Amino acid sequence: MPVPPLDLPSAALLSPALVDRLRAAGCVFAEEEAHLLACTARTPAQLAVMVDRRVSGLPLEQVLGWARFHGLRVVLEPGVFVPRRRTEFLVRQAAALARSASAGSASAGSSSAGPRTVVVDLCCGSGAVAAALAVELPGTECHAVDIDPVAVRCARRNLPAGGRAYLGDLYTPLPPRLLGRVDVLVANAPYVPTGSLGLLPPEAREHEPRVALDGGEDGLAVQRRVAAGASRWLAPGGVLLVETSERQAAGTAEAVARGGLTATSTTCEELDATVVVGRLPAA
């Protein structure tokens, strides 16, 4: 659902002292955070508890119980990975490729009443990417997978009616009927090298699950497993999109190519986002 604006009753809960306390705790956007907290709290007492949690270091989104993502309000429970704004680039790229494929099918004479686009979101966390793609691509058949049961619980709340979220490791819990039928496979798999976890901001390091951050020695361990299994699940001409870093893009592309896909990479400087795209040959 869209993020609501601050209403006047909530605005009345704001005070300079609240903003000052958040700023003293290191919140760079203290005034904006104060507005969001006041907008979400139903009573002054609840607001006080939320501010205490934020000052103690919890990510703002976990305190609010929701996160802004691609124009949506995504339900978020404590301990669940917070969707990053850079990942909106992954959504935009996936939606554009899906639309391009649909347009190509139409120009080739395929029926407009053909099968729905099938989207699978691996390492889905709260299901934010799958939920955003469902909005971008109306009528999409959405599936999402995560190994964290709390994340899957959130995803089940965030996916549209008919969307399915599964608990398990990568492809393992997906229904076999999806083999060879997935049009768009997206993966925001963990890609922080194990040795760099200590360099993450405390909000991530202390309050997000390690399994959502730790990508192994070089950060690409989970990505390699995603790429290795993709060709079995993709439909002919289907695409795999993997979020990565600009520094790791060459390694991600190599893994995707080894999985039998044609690999390219694209970067958005504004969002500091990099996505590697792998395409399964149509024939």
Side-chain angles (χ1 to χ4, degrees):
M1 65 182 71
V3 179
L6 180 70
D7 58 28
L8 292 178
S10 296
L13 297 175
L14 290 173
S15 71
L18 187 155
V19 175
D20 290 344
R21 188 177 179 208
L22 291 171
R23 187 172 289 117
C27 301
V28 177
F29 303 103
E31 189 167 329
E32 179 182 350
E33 290 197 14
H35 276 268
L36 290 169
L37 290 166
C39 182
T40 303
R42 297 183 177 181
T43 65
Q46 185 181 24
L47 176 61
V49 171
M50 294 173 70
V51 172
D52 285 344
R53 295 179 67 210
R54 177 63 180 132
V55 168
S56 72
L58 267 71
L60 174 67
E61 295 84 357
Q62 291 183 6
V63 175
L64 294 172
W66 56 270
R68 284 190 180 119
F69 184 78
H70 203 67
L72 301 177
R73 179 169 168 159
V74 176
V75 173
L76 204 68
E77 294 188 27
V80 174
F81 180 81
V82 177
R84 280 28 171 192
R85 184 164 177 255
R86 73 171 67 94
T87 306
E88 294 181 7
F89 184 60
L90 177 68
V91 172
R92 296 205 301 261
Q93 293 299 303
L97 288 170
R99 292 192 192 101
S100 176
S102 296
S105 297
S107 64
S110 299
S111 169
S112 60
R116 293 191 296 166
T117 299
V118 177
V119 171
V120 171
D121 179 7
L122 295 180
C123 306
C124 71
S126 62
V129 171
L133 285 172
V135 173
E136 290 283 345
L137 306 167
T140 294
E141 180 182 339
C142 283
H143 303 267
V145 181
D146 202 280
I147 202 168
D148 178 5
V150 183
V152 171
R153 188 166 65 222
C154 287
R156 287 172 178 162
R157 297 176 63 185
N158 289 318
L159 291 181
R164 298 289 303 276
Y166 309 89
L167 176 63
D169 183 30
L170 298 183
Y171 303 100
T172 304
L174 288 173
R177 66 178 179 82
L178 294 181
L179 283 164
R181 290 190 53 235
V182 178
D183 300 295
V184 178
L185 176 61
V186 293
N188 184 15
Y191 56 91
V192 179
T194 303
S196 298
L197 290 174
L199 303 177
L200 292 174
E203 289 184 3
R205 191 174 66 244
E206 299 174 8
H207 300 288
E208 293 182 323
R210 179 168 178 145
V211 71
L213 303 170
D214 191 348
E217 184 177 356
D218 64 355
L220 305 181
V222 184
Q223 291 185 358
R224 291 190 183 96
R225 294 178 56 217
V226 170
S231 62
R232 296 182 63 238
W233 295 89
L234 288 174
V239 290
L240 164 68
L241 298 97
V242 182
E243 178 176 303
T244 190
S245 70
E246 189 172 6
R247 178 177 58 83
Q248 294 164 298
T252 303
E254 180 183 357
V256 169
R258 285 184 177 178
L261 310 179
T262 301
T264 58
S265 65
T266 181
T267 298
C268 174
E269 293 185 4
E270 177 190 357
L271 297 178
D272 188 26
T274 300
V275 170
V276 169
V277 179
R279 185 180 295 275
L280 186 68

